Amino acid sequence: MGRIVIINGSRREGNYWSNEVHGNSLSLNTHCVAAMELARARQRNDETYVTFAGEIVRHHGPIVLEQWEPNRDFFTLHFEGVTRRPSQILKAHGDKVLAWLKRGQHLVICGDGSPTYINMENRPHPTPSEVVATLLAANVKPR
């Protein structure tokens, strides 16, 4: 089984983790670290889901990273499939994952071992050109 990536969305506009939902599409404004991690998830064919603040136990997806665009020092990533509703994705380690989501962790990864979250501050920060190369290698189209 591949990894499951859960995006913990924010409804706050204008911040680096803001997002908008329009119909079946999700637009996520994020920095290079998260953009790189989500591009790698697309390359690996990881299942990606999104949950939003205030509805932590409800998930949407799987969503698919389809397009990207530069946005100042950030990237706006465009996903499709946000109207899908999975039955249950947190079978193993659910309590730990929900605790991280409730604490506001932005990206939670569930793999073969114990789940983990991506600590954006402690990760190596890729350059925008490295992110673009990874997005293109993952067959994500520029917008």
Side-chain angles (χ1 to χ4, degrees):
M1 175 182 138
R3 298 183 321 164
I4 294 175
V5 178
I6 303 170
I7 299 170
N8 193 4
S10 169
R11 296 282 190 195
R12 284 182 257 152
E13 292 184 22
N15 69 2
Y16 77 90
W17 200 252
S18 64
N19 59 73
E20 295 179 13
V21 175
H22 297 284
N24 197 35
S25 300
L26 167 72
S27 297
L28 175 70
N29 186 43
T30 190
H31 48 68
C32 291
V33 174
M36 179 69 95
E37 190 65 38
L38 291 165
R40 287 181 181 148
R42 168 71 191 259
Q43 277 183 308
R44 294 171 45 115
N45 293 318
D46 293 337
E47 287 189 20
T48 303
Y49 296 86
V50 63
T51 187
F52 299 103
E55 50 181 64
I56 296 299
V57 296
R58 296 178 63 207
H59 295 83
H60 303 265
I63 59 175
V64 179
L65 178 56
E66 296 286 346
Q67 295 181 318
W68 62 273
E69 60 187 306
N71 184 357
R72 295 184 309 265
D73 295 330
F74 303 102
F75 284 87
T76 301
L77 305 178
H78 302 278
F79 297 83
E80 293 296 323
V82 76
T83 58
R84 293 185 203 132
R85 299 297 303 204
S87 55
Q88 183 182 4
I89 63 169
L90 298 177
K91 294 180 175 98
H93 311 294
D95 292 340
K96 192 177 215 180
V97 171
L98 287 175
W100 284 332
L101 293 171
K102 287 178 182 175
R103 277 187 268 166
Q105 296 302 329
H106 293 309
L107 283 177
V108 177
I109 311 292
C110 305
D112 293 334
S114 184
T116 187
Y117 65 90
I118 305 300
N119 186 330
M120 305 298 175
E121 289 79 29
N122 295 339
R123 300 283 280 202
H125 288 263
T127 65
S129 58
E130 290 172 319
V131 175
V132 168
T134 304
L135 286 162
L136 293 173
N139 293 318
V140 181
K141 298 177 179 83
R143 191 172 214 187

